[in-house]
Amino acid sequence: MLDGKKVLFSGMQATGSLTLGNYLGALKNWVSIADEYETFYGVVDMHSITIRQDPAELRKRARTLLTLYIAAGLDPEKNCIYYQSHVTGHAELAWILNCFTYMGELNRMTQFKDKAAKHADNINAGLFTYPVLMAADILLYQSDVVPVGIDQMQHLEITRDIAQRFNAIYGEVFTVPEAYIGKVGAKIMSLQDPAKKMSKSDENPNASIYLMDDPDTIMRKFKRAVTDSEACVRYCDEQPGIHNLIDIYCACTGKTPAETEREFDGKGYGDFKTAVGEAVVGVLKPLQDRFEDLSKNKDYLNSVIKNNAEKAQYISNKTLRKVQKKIGFPERIR
Ligand code: TYM
């Protein structure tokens, strides 16, 4: 609890361009539940360097991401939006938690296995201990709730395990967080292969809608989306491509799958794909316009970056000092 409210933490990597999956699975929910919580939204740039990054590009993407958080509707006066690398406690707590995490647990992480297979020439220790840094992000603020897409569930579970293990030794130091998974959009799939999640790192640009795609590109990508030969808009596992498009449509319009089936009863895939494209443009276009406006306002963004990093540093220090004391680090002399 902070100021009488439960605490929420979430973050996104400043790697690649954000996709509609990131938006519908996470960012949109962040905005819709923000008012109920004391919130911390990190641009997790330290996680990004587990894969080689071009320095100038990383800096640019981090700023774009931070601006997008605000453009999506998070008011930085009320929500602590900041760069992870500006708050020293993330790395400090991660080191401590590394000593309470087992190699065997980390070995089971599917995201590590996937990334290690993809980057076989750079399987660094950071890639392996990535979930520990994520646990530090969350536990540093005593977070009650963590809104994420389904792909992050395993990381949430290991965070809970680490917190419980630590608490069992030292007493109730950490709040044990719960995941918040949205009802719709928690797993948006690739438009080209509905068996795979939509991902920033997909090499086929037609597989993902990027938040900055212009309306024509969005419409074209939906027209090309892989479906099947059933030719009816039905929400079932046998039609994974249509299932995914219905999920996207519902997440953007607030309609239910049953309402969508009724709306497109007797209509072909062409009509449906056009409607999905239009619904997505309707959501992304205002966000893109706000992004353009905000990007021009450099002084404002700089003040958000500075003030919120200071706030996050101040609040996170409380947990860090408590943890350091519990494990026996010598007291600071004042
Ligand atoms: P990242 O940057 O890969 O993704 C950011 C958020 O987007 C969600 N997401 C999706 N949701 C639905 N469908 C998809 N296709 C899709 N793709 C991505 C993710 O679930 C995530 O919520 N390790 C994290 C970042 C992180 C973090 C944290 C998150 C670091 N520390 C602490 C929460 C709390 C990551 O790589 O997310």
Side-chain angles (χ1 to χ4, degrees):
M1 288 289 226
L2 202 59
D3 293 339
K5 277 185 170 176
K6 286 194 169 184
V7 178
L8 178 158
F9 181 92
S10 204
M12 286 199 194
Q13 283 202 65
T15 325
S17 299
L18 279 211
T19 71
L20 187 63
N22 297 124
Y23 181 71
L24 297 178
L27 194 49
K28 187 166 176 285
N29 296 329
W30 295 6
V31 177
S32 68
I33 61 173
D35 284 348
E36 297 164 41
Y37 298 93
E38 188 65 40
T39 60
F40 296 86
Y41 294 110
V43 168
V44 294
D45 46 356
M46 287 160 66
H47 279 96
S48 298
I49 63 162
T50 51
I51 289 162
R52 289 280 172 272
Q53 303 291 337
D54 174 73
E57 191 62 25
L58 177 59
R59 234 185 310 277
K60 194 169 140 210
R61 285 191 194 283
R63 189 155 174 121
T64 298
L65 187 52
L66 185 127
T67 311
L68 271 172
Y69 286 4
I70 305 171
L74 293 172
D75 176 355
E77 295 290 325
K78 296 190 195 143
N79 302 279
C80 190
I81 294 172
Y82 70 99
Y83 295 130
Q84 181 192 35
S85 63
H86 285 190
V87 177
T88 54
H90 292 259
E92 292 178 77
L93 183 61
W95 171 252
I96 294 170
L97 297 182
N98 265 318
C99 303
F100 293 84
T101 309
Y102 297 112
M103 305 275 286
E105 289 177 297
L106 293 172
N107 251 327
R108 285 197 293 275
M109 295 292 116
T110 52
Q111 195 158 315
F112 168 68
K113 289 184 207 162
D114 291 349
K115 286 199 179 163
K118 234 180 186 170
H119 303 276
D121 55 338
N122 181 22
I123 307 178
N124 58 71
L127 195 62
F128 189 61
T129 60
Y130 176 115
V132 185
L133 179 57
M134 182 159 159
D137 298 340
I138 297 168
L139 301 180
L140 198 51
Y141 298 93
Q142 304 290 355
S143 311
D144 296 278
V145 65
V146 185
V148 283
I150 285 174
D151 63 331
Q152 294 299 320
M153 268 315 277
Q154 206 184 21
H155 290 159
L156 244 289
E157 274 152 25
I158 196 174
T159 300
R160 289 168 56 85
D161 290 344
I162 296 170
Q164 279 160 345
R165 181 173 306 139
F166 196 95
N167 287 351
I169 305 171
Y170 299 104
E172 294 302 304
V173 176
F174 292 123
T175 301
V176 180
E178 303 276 348
Y180 174 97
I181 305 276
K183 285 192 189 68
V184 276
K187 193 166 188 194
I188 300 297
M189 310 309 280
S190 151
L191 298 185
Q192 291 298 313
D193 177 0
K196 270 187 359 194
K197 77 163 184 174
M198 187 181 282
S199 161
K200 290 178 220 163
S201 55
D202 202 308
E203 272 153 27
N204 181 352
N206 288 322
S208 308
I209 301 288
Y210 299 108
L211 292 201
M212 291 303 170
D213 278 348
D214 61 58
D216 287 348
T217 307
I218 295 174
M219 296 306 289
R220 183 168 38 79
K221 286 184 180 177
F222 277 111
K223 283 205 179 99
R224 288 192 188 159
V226 169
T227 47
D228 52 62
S229 52
E230 300 275 320
C232 65
V233 178
R234 214 155 47 89
Y235 194 61
C236 61
D237 292 342
E238 293 73 46
Q239 290 173 253
I242 289 294
H243 191 290
N244 188 38
L245 294 184
I246 295 179
D247 280 338
I248 293 173
Y249 188 66
C250 291
C252 291
T253 59
K255 293 178 184 167
T256 65
E259 283 166 348
T260 308
E261 284 180 342
R262 277 199 296 280
E263 186 180 350
F264 293 94
D265 188 24
K267 292 192 183 144
Y269 286 165
D271 288 344
F272 179 51
K273 286 177 167 180
T274 302
V276 181
E278 283 169 354
V280 170
V281 170
V283 169
L284 294 191
K285 185 69 179 56
L287 188 148
Q288 293 170 354
D289 293 345
R290 279 196 298 274
F291 176 84
E292 292 307 328
D293 282 349
L294 278 164
S295 303
K296 288 180 207 140
N297 207 338
K298 293 200 172 61
D299 290 346
Y300 169 70
L301 287 175
N302 287 345
S303 74
V304 166
I305 290 167
K306 181 171 179 290
N307 296 341
N308 281 330
E310 281 169 7
K311 178 179 172 192
Q313 179 77 36
Y314 175 78
I315 292 172
S316 60
N317 261 348
K318 293 186 187 169
T319 303
L320 191 65
R321 297 289 171 257
K322 191 168 169 189
V323 170
Q324 288 170 331
K325 192 169 175 197
K326 287 281 181 189
I327 55 178
F329 288 175
E331 259 178 66
R332 279 152 208 265
I333 312 293
R334 289 177 203 283

